[in-house]
């Protein structure tokens, strides 16, 4: 079992964020006899997944929805699949946008380097 500070370090998120996720129902740590949160390996795996969803800009509201569906059981698999497929499409759209922007910037940078090179030759 891990303490909140150990989990925060292992997952690289703040203890404040862990408490927020608990408040929002995204994670449910076990409480020991003293009321202290304890996390296990399953919590760590779940938090790594949640962290990736957040890093790819999935809103907390959608993560909450996914979490609640997951906790409801297998009969929600189609809804969970839909949420993940929609998010994957969002990520793919972002990748397309980033690649197009990178290409545009590469051309712009090249243009500036050519201008600077010509001005040095004068």
């Amino acid at each position: 079992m891990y303490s909140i500070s150990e989990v925060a370090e292992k997952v690289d998120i703040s203890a404040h964020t862990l408490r927020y996720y608990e408040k929002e129902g995204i994670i449910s740590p076990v409480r020991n006899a003293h009321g202290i949160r304890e996390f296990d390996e399953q919590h760590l795996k779940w938090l790594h997944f949640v962290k990736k969803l957040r890093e790819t800009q999935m809103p907390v509201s959608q993560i909450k929805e996914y979490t609640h569906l997951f906790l409801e059981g297998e009969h929600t698999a189609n809804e969970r699949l839909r949420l993940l497929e929609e998010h994957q499409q969002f990520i793919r759209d972002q990748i397309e946008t980033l690649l197009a922007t990178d290409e545009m910037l590469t051309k712009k940078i090249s243009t500036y380097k050519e201008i600077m090179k010509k001005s040095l030759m004068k």
Side-chain angles (χ1 to χ4, degrees):
M1 297 298 263
Y2 303 101
S3 70
I4 195 167
S5 60
E6 290 169 325
V7 171
E9 185 177 327
K10 285 180 179 293
V11 182
D12 193 28
I13 57 177
S14 70
H16 173 78
T17 298
L18 289 169
R19 288 184 200 97
Y20 173 71
Y21 287 166
E22 181 181 11
K23 178 180 158 264
E24 294 298 317
I26 293 170
I27 187 122
S28 298
V30 176
R31 298 276 184 154
N32 68 20
H34 303 289
I36 296 178
R37 294 170 184 86
E38 293 183 333
F39 300 84
D40 60 19
E41 290 298 326
Q42 286 302 107
H43 290 114
L44 289 177
K45 286 179 187 176
W46 178 253
L47 286 165
H48 282 291
F49 177 64
V50 168
K51 183 179 178 190
K52 286 298 174 197
L53 294 176
R54 288 296 300 136
E55 287 175 345
T56 55
Q57 300 175 14
M58 180 181 267
V60 170
S61 61
Q62 285 182 356
I63 295 171
K64 282 174 59 171
E65 181 181 356
Y66 181 87
T67 302
H68 292 182
L69 290 168
F70 177 80
L71 293 173
E72 280 185 39
E74 287 302 312
H75 70 280
T76 65
N78 285 334
E79 293 169 83
R80 287 182 278 147
L81 175 62
R82 178 191 53 79
L83 276 172
L84 293 179
E85 285 177 336
E86 286 175 4
H87 188 62
Q88 185 178 49
Q89 187 57 54
F90 171 80
I91 291 169
R92 288 178 175 166
D93 292 346
Q94 291 299 311
I95 290 169
E96 248 182 70
T97 299
L98 289 169
L99 289 172
T101 303
D102 183 58
E103 184 179 326
M104 182 210 53
L105 288 171
T106 297
K107 288 177 184 175
K108 194 62 130 173
I109 289 167
S110 179
T111 300
Y112 278 113
K113 286 182 176 181
E114 276 300 312
I115 291 169
M116 292 170 67
K117 183 177 175 182
K118 287 178 184 177
S119 71
L120 288 175
M121 293 180 158
K122 290 182 181 183

